[in-house]
Amino acid sequence: MAEPVQTPQAFPTRIFSGIQPSGSLTLGNYLGALKRFAQKQDEGIETLYCVVDLHAVTVWQDPARLRQQTREIAASYIASGVDPKRSILYNQSQVTAHAELGWLLSCVARIGWMYRMTQFKDKSGANAENASLGLLAYPALMAADILSFRTTHVPVGEDQKQHIELARDIAAKFNHDYKTDFFPIPEPLIEGPATRVMSLRDGTKKMSKSDPSDASRINLTDDADTIAKKIRKAKTDAEPLPDTVEGLEGRPDAKNLVNIYAALADLPLAKVMEEFAGAQFGTFKPALADLAVAKLGPITAEMNRLMAEPDEIDAILGRGAERADAIARPIVAQVYDIMGMIRSRQV
Ligand code: AQP
């Protein structure tokens, strides 16, 4: 069970998180992010969920494809249980506070902090000089996403921990530099058995929507046959499953599949070990495939239904953006005041 959410300092609890429209979502995005986003909303906490299109263009995106993917991510949020009436659901570029605060915070953050980000190193590869400036600076924009709402908690997967720590450092430096306590220091919420779902082809590598191998991941758009085939072909070792969680140590591929089962079934890992103790993968994999199809099938069907009405998705994003703007605009105006900018334009 997750710990009850504690509000740091004197700020009311507010949750923000985002997903990049840089490809079709995976089972990793679902278990590490989407499923938990809906749970937080259902706990009655104020929740804002964003399709972070400004982040996606840190690497080149085909414009028509970007529009399509933005709608697909919005549909994935809704199909996974995010209710646009109870949560604020929108795309980032429609709320200008993100870009404005992003600039201000990129003047607070230090370049050295950015170079230390492992995701920048991974994504820029051997040719970092040729990466976009945005790819390097993007964690400052991510800090702005969070702080535009004076967010207190950010549910993310394990891979985003370093970026949230950076957002905390940026908030603390801003507060220190301007002798204020304006920004809360946001807490990452990294909970549950699936904070890092691994590749089906390599249990030591994160499942990622931009992995060149489609067999490495389950996409939320995959049909039942494709899901079953990918699980059947998932890399494993030759040993049967152990009877304890400890017995999975040193067996990353087996551990990954068991973790996925536990997360999909909402069962503690120990219970899954009990159920499949001594089982061969020939028994476990079909059980996992059946479970994955049963859980993901209705989500995929709902996504397809929503995607048939792109205007409706755009209208939902527009309404969400208005609500997000109403919160963020006055916060960013106060940041301008704190930093000494004159704001005398009549609006
Ligand atoms: N494998 C994963 N396991 C658990 N959580 C994951 N997340 C991503 N992959 C896993 C979480 O999903 C949220 C949205 O992530 P994102 O799409 O904005 O960017 P990302 O973290 O870089 O995810 P990808 O799939 O690896 O995208 P690409 O390939 O475009 O870089 C985040 O909360 C993330 O932690």
Side-chain angles (χ1 to χ4, degrees), residues 18-20 22 28-29 32-33 119 123 156-157 159-160 194-197 206-210:
I19 299 185
Q20 292 191 56
S22 50
N29 297 123
Q119 204 176 78
K123 288 196 174 176
V156 281
D159 63 316
Q160 288 295 336
T195 54
R196 193 172 181 84
V197 177
K206 190 187 79 152
M207 183 182 285
S208 176
K209 58 174 125 69
S210 57

Side-chain angles (χ1 to χ4, degrees), residues 14-194:
R14 181 175 278 160
I15 279 182
F16 173 92
S17 201
I19 299 185
Q20 292 191 56
S22 50
S24 285
L25 292 188
T26 70
L27 179 67
N29 297 123
Y30 173 67
L31 293 174
L34 287 169
K35 185 173 181 215
R36 295 169 48 230
F37 293 172
Q39 284 165 348
K40 291 293 164 210
Q41 162 199 278
D42 294 343
E43 287 168 22
I45 302 169
E46 184 182 14
T47 42
L48 291 106
Y49 295 127
C50 189
V51 186
V52 285
D53 47 9
L54 297 177
H55 290 283
V57 294
T58 53
V59 296
W60 191 82
Q61 303 287 337
D62 174 74
R65 182 101 191 94
L66 181 64
R67 267 188 287 277
Q68 166 82 3
Q69 283 170 181
T70 299
R71 293 184 183 119
E72 196 178 298
I73 306 289
S76 309
Y77 271 115
I78 299 168
S80 303
V82 170
D83 172 355
K85 290 206 171 68
R86 286 186 290 152
S87 292
I88 298 180
L89 175 62
Y90 69 102
N91 59 313
Q92 187 185 25
S93 58
Q94 294 208 72
V95 177
T96 55
H98 290 274
E100 291 180 54
L101 189 60
W103 173 256
L104 299 175
L105 295 185
S106 70
C107 297
V108 173
R110 307 289 92 184
I111 296 175
W113 299 358
M114 301 296 161
Y115 278 125
R116 279 198 286 278
M117 295 296 108
T118 52
Q119 204 176 78
F120 175 71
K121 291 183 202 161
D122 290 348
K123 288 196 174 176
S124 59
N127 198 2
E129 289 295 311
N130 204 31
S132 74
L133 182 56
L135 190 69
L136 178 66
Y138 122 83
L141 179 59
M142 178 165 160
D145 300 338
I146 296 164
L147 297 172
S148 291
F149 304 98
R150 296 169 105 192
T151 299
T152 55
H153 295 85
V154 191
V156 281
E158 177 72 36
D159 63 316
Q160 288 295 336
K161 188 168 180 231
Q162 197 185 31
H163 290 158
I164 307 292
E165 277 162 6
L166 188 84
R168 291 166 61 85
D169 288 346
I170 293 174
K173 182 161 164 50
F174 178 92
N175 287 350
H176 173 269
D177 289 357
Y178 292 96
K179 298 184 178 48
T180 174
D181 54 5
F182 185 73
F183 285 128
I185 308 300
E187 294 283 341
L189 294 176
I190 302 172
E191 309 156 331

